[in-house]
Amino acid sequence: MSQAPRILRKQTGNFLEDFVPGQVFRHKGGKTVTEGLFTTFTEFAMTANPLSKNARYARAYGYQGLVCSPGLTMLVAFSQTVEDVSENARANLEYIDMRFGAPLYVGDTVEVETRVLGIKASSSRPNLGIVSVQSTARKNPGERDEAIVLTWQRKVQVYKRDDAASLNEGEVPPDEVECALWLPPYSKRTDYKSLAHLSSRDSYFEDLEPGTLIEHSRGRTMTDEHIHLTAVLDNTSQVHCNQFMIDLDPQQYVGGKLIIFGGIPFVLCLGLSSPDVGDNALGDIAYATGRHTAPLFAGDTVFAATEVLGKRDLPGRPDLGVVETRLLGHKFELDSGAKHDDAPPGWKKTRIFELERATAIKRRSHYAG
Amino acid sequence: MSQAPRILRKQTGNFLEDFVPGQVFRHKGGKTVTEGLFTTFTEFAMTANPLSKNARYARAYGYQGLVCSPGLTMLVAFSQTVEDVSENARANLEYIDMRFGAPLYVGDTVEVETRVLGIKASSSRPNLGIVSVQSTARKNPGERDEAIVLTWQRKVQVYKRDDAASLNEGEVPPDEVECALWLPPYSKRTDYKSLAHLSSRDSYFEDLEPGTLIEHSRGRTMTDEHIHLTAVLDNTSQVHCNQFMIDLDPQQYVGGKLIIFGGIPFVLCLGLSSPDVGDNALGDIAYATGRHTAPLFAGDTVFAATEVLGKRDLPGRPDLGVVETRLLGHKFELDSGAKHDDAPPGWKKTRIFELERATAIKRRSHYAG
Amino acid sequence: MSQAPRILRKQTGNFLEDFVPGQVFRHKGGKTVTEGLFTTFTEFAMTANPLSKNARYARAYGYQGLVCSPGLTMLVAFSQTVEDVSENARANLEYIDMRFGAPLYVGDTVEVETRVLGIKASSSRPNLGIVSVQSTARKNPGERDEAIVLTWQRKVQVYKRDDAASLNEGEVPPDEVECALWLPPYSKRTDYKSLAHLSSRDSYFEDLEPGTLIEHSRGRTMTDEHIHLTAVLDNTSQVHCNQFMIDLDPQQYVGGKLIIFGGIPFVLCLGLSSPDVGDNALGDIAYATGRHTAPLFAGDTVFAATEVLGKRDLPGRPDLGVVETRLLGHKFELDSGAKHDDAPPGWKKTRIFELERATAIKRRSHYAG
């Protein structure tokens, strides 16, 4: 170019003053689940449920093939909303009323819409506020098997572009979104018992006792692989992958380093819990609420535990029951000065994640009796 | 073995004195595009064009399914030539007249042939010289949909095995290779506008202004994942993956450390530019020329910018236009002594890559009007 | 929960005193080979045989499509046995009589059973003993193409849960397991020669000379990617992925750091050898014995060599021959005090792996003559 070019730098994502209650985003992109994506996340997270590992098992149960784990379904759907909703967020505050619908398979394409439910200024920090949204993920729009796979609300703390901008404060009620977990019918002709050795022996409905805290035995150290994993999800938020931006002004960023995308500990905690509480599930029904309570960084080792809160029958399905749990994620941090009952000497235990969870679980009586 | 065995160490690749003008390599291996390969590179590179993300969108546009991005097509084809042409290279000097043909899909098998166009000794360095080659990548040889997917020339600086060896200097003219971008026909029956929300609103032919420099907003930090990514491409060049070799004699190697394969910044710069200039493309037509201008290492953060150089009609396709751009990649390096207008204090901006690019881009009038 | 919950921590895997001679494990999970898994390991290991890279080549040879390399088949099958057999192991001592059967394809599901052959206390270490097992991996149980893909024995050094526990010492003979490498018939109608450029020119049966040691030219540096790769295989052993556990008591663990799962150097050594001895193989027939002779850590660079031990006809297959080799893996370690003939000054060469191998290899006369 002979002349100095006009320089253009496009904004990506919205800032607090851009949101309007009732506004709807039809998110860009959409995402077809490939076998590459499927394997990466199922196995990264140490998912143990054979529905996501063993196609002959999944088909015998009445699914079309390998089934995306709840964590993968959540990651695919959620990530589609990042650019419009949270590219300029400081933190994701809460997941609310997340409900699963149709099973998600390899080959399915997920597209997501989000409705803005509310905008609220921060009383203490003039450059921040809270945006509430409701998102719904649909698979295969316009095709015969079009269906909702996930719906959820979340609250997210978003930066203003201009501290002096006025906001469209207010709120609208959420839509009623019909979304209930699809369950394959129990078939008298299927020899479920011949498959029972493929899932764990002691994680049936009958085994899970309210009032129990199950400490899942495995831990998993995160590496800088999180940069790649986050890109694989189309989550382009720069706080996860742009080290140069962090180096220019570390104090601006949580921990002064690249923070791991919350979807990673979300799916990893689900995976770590899976041999003990998910192996005999036919699916997660809903997450009433969930939140990240501390940041996760490369080098941290993630552990998980599950509190069994309650259990109940699932109407119309004598072969299944609903187990209500609280999934807890934690890591250990050096803490030379103190002694903690729940951590080895010199360390403290830091809660990183919690999720209220209702799961549809097989009864041993019907599947392995 | 009772006796001391005869020790054999096979040479891999060719040295400068091995090449002959007019010589043809039919490269070994070939490579079938799997969903694993597809996902790894599409998403690693943050490709935003829904043709490579959303199978229902790609099918509605007249493709068979998810389409390999130009960067992935280039990586798959180029890498097949590494062992014969550049396993013993010091540097890849230039890409020339790279032209795209048929779309590349998951399941397609790519095989590549290369013709040596010229050999020239270096006037200043007796152990080096330049080899010019022309390569053509074909998919599914012998099958009904056999087609050329990419053809290109490149110049590469290659070491001699023996400094005293005489060379087959000379040149032959390149073949005329018929290779033009396949474009799905514009169909009056397709409701393109119902899909318009899936690509960005402001990257149509009408939006791209010659004389503009678009600084793409995202950066991506490279980690030692590059070793794995390079292996996934069948690029076995030891300077990318053999740390022991580097440690034995660091001064011999650029930067004294493992250098990232040039195909990685190539595809990453394309991906980083993709929300702003590639999201509404039906494909890249050609790269007239391209080169790597500085090495990239693990830990560097890659940024990209696009100069819009010109635009023109595409004969016979009123729904499309051709946009000519220069894609630029850069990173920042510490530079405490100086002040630079285009970098934060204490840093300098280093150009790592440039590519002259012609892209077939949709007109808003026909696709989102 | 209002009351303090009852805390439950499930044991994973078995300890020495849990094993009984003759006992059979039908392992949990099972694993369907996806294109994600296929690509990750084929290409991580630099496998060069076109049967695993080029689907049109594989189909022309009479396979259904891309064929899992022997290393990948072994990894998928072996990993299914880890939780029951070696989750609480100190080391895997030996692979014995590993034999391949049916080819493994993308889409196939592998399930594995293991029989305990023997338990023996350690004479010197009261908290350890040796368990011998025989495992057999079957694909697609209950379907038309059900077949054994791999059978093997191994010896593993396992910890006791309780040093005072008494053991079920004893042994039972191994089962006779019918498992022989499936080979596609040689077809007079197939134009194999037209495909000969796709594999290496000098690795036919005729080329491999007993009494030769082939030093494979490539090295590959391992990174902490091994954590992810190990998870992808469902190998959940904590010594590979739980840095916190190591940090609490480094002396307890080999090298005081995360050790790389032995399956990784196993498949990587096979891959590094593949251009020179595997490129024209139709499959590995058997590994009579194999062992890991030193640990591998992130940062180490892996090299491989092959001793050609012998060769013989394959009855009924004049187009093929059997080559017997010993595959050797090594790395280099700093050793400033000494001089070694087989290592650069300041380094020593450490053998990490060895494997007795019989491979069915094409004759040039029939395939490229």
Side-chain angles (χ1 to χ4, degrees), chain B residues 1 4-13 25-37 40 80 83-84 87 106-107 109-111 140-143 224-225 227-228 231-238 241-245 247-248 258, chain C residues 35-36 38-40 43-44 46-48 50 53-57 59 66 194 197-203 209-221 223-225 229 275-277 279 299 301 303 307-309 326 332 344-345 347:
Chain B
M1 256 175 285
R6 188 169 61 92
I7 293 178
L8 213 91
R9 196 179 162 89
K10 285 196 202 167
Q11 170 192 313
T12 47
F25 296 105
R26 302 178 73 193
H27 302 296
K28 281 196 303 177
K31 195 168 186 77
T32 300
V33 179
T34 66
E35 292 196 357
L37 180 68
T40 299
Q80 294 294 312
E83 183 172 327
D84 289 328
E87 177 113 5
V106 169
T109 298
V110 174
E111 297 178 13
N140 306 336
E143 298 181 31
D224 58 14
E225 71 192 315
I227 299 177
H228 192 98
V232 167
L233 293 166
D234 303 341
N235 179 333
T236 50
S237 179
Q238 294 288 291
C241 68
N242 186 336
Q243 184 67 52
F244 177 69
M245 182 184 80
D247 289 346
L248 286 183
L258 293 177
Chain C
E35 292 196 357
F38 187 92
T39 294
T40 299
E43 297 182 334
F44 154 74
M46 299 182 166
T47 305
K53 311 285 297 182
N54 183 326
R56 93 164 173 117
Y57 178 100
R59 285 190 296 257
L66 292 174
S194 72
H197 65 286
L198 293 170
S199 61
S200 71
R201 238 161 280 146
D202 55 0
S203 65
E209 292 280 342
T212 315
L213 174 72
I214 305 170
E215 292 188 343
H216 307 300
S217 62
R218 290 170 183 146
R220 166 65 150 87
T221 302
T223 70
D224 58 14
E225 71 192 315
L229 289 169
D276 297 333
V277 301
D279 221 40
T301 301
F303 295 88
E307 286 181 23
V308 184
L309 302 177
R326 182 177 296 124
F332 292 93
W347 297 84

Side-chain angles (χ1 to χ4, degrees), chain B residues 98-110:
Chain B
M98 183 174 273
R99 284 176 288 128
F100 290 85
L104 186 62
Y105 299 114
V106 169
D108 285 343
T109 298
V110 174

Side-chain angles (χ1 to χ4, degrees), chain A residues 24-65:
Chain A
V24 171
F25 296 104
R26 302 178 73 193
H27 301 296
K28 280 198 301 177
K31 196 171 186 74
T32 300
V33 179
T34 67
E35 292 195 359
L37 180 69
F38 187 92
T39 295
T40 300
F41 282 94
T42 304
E43 297 180 335
F44 154 74
M46 299 182 164
T47 304
N49 189 323
L51 293 176
S52 301
K53 310 287 297 181
N54 183 326
R56 93 162 174 116
Y57 179 99
R59 285 190 297 259
Y61 268 79
Y63 295 92
Q64 285 174 29

Side-chain angles (χ1 to χ4, degrees), chain A residues 257-274:
Chain A
K257 41 189 173 174
L258 293 177
I259 188 175
I260 296 180
F261 165 45
I264 304 287
F266 193 124
V267 68
L268 184 51
C269 289
L270 283 168
L272 291 172
S273 78
S274 129

Side-chain angles (χ1 to χ4, degrees), chain B residues 117-184:
Chain B
L117 298 183
I119 294 110
K120 210 179 132 181
S122 165
S123 49
S124 58
R125 304 184 62 168
N127 65 332
L128 278 169
I130 293 172
V131 179
S132 300
V133 296
Q134 179 181 38
S135 299
T136 298
R138 201 171 282 278
K139 73 174 190 178
N140 306 336
E143 298 181 31
R144 277 199 334 169
D145 59 350
E146 174 173 346
I148 290 176
V149 294
L150 192 72
T151 186
W152 71 99
Q153 297 174 37
R154 65 170 167 136
K155 287 187 197 225
V156 56
Q157 195 180 29
V158 178
Y159 285 106
K160 289 166 96 167
R161 186 189 304 103
D162 169 7
D163 285 10
S166 66
L167 300 185
N168 308 299
E169 283 192 284
E171 52 185 297
V172 298
D175 282 338
E176 295 286 329
V177 178
E178 215 170 299
C179 178
L181 182 65
W182 182 86
L183 289 164

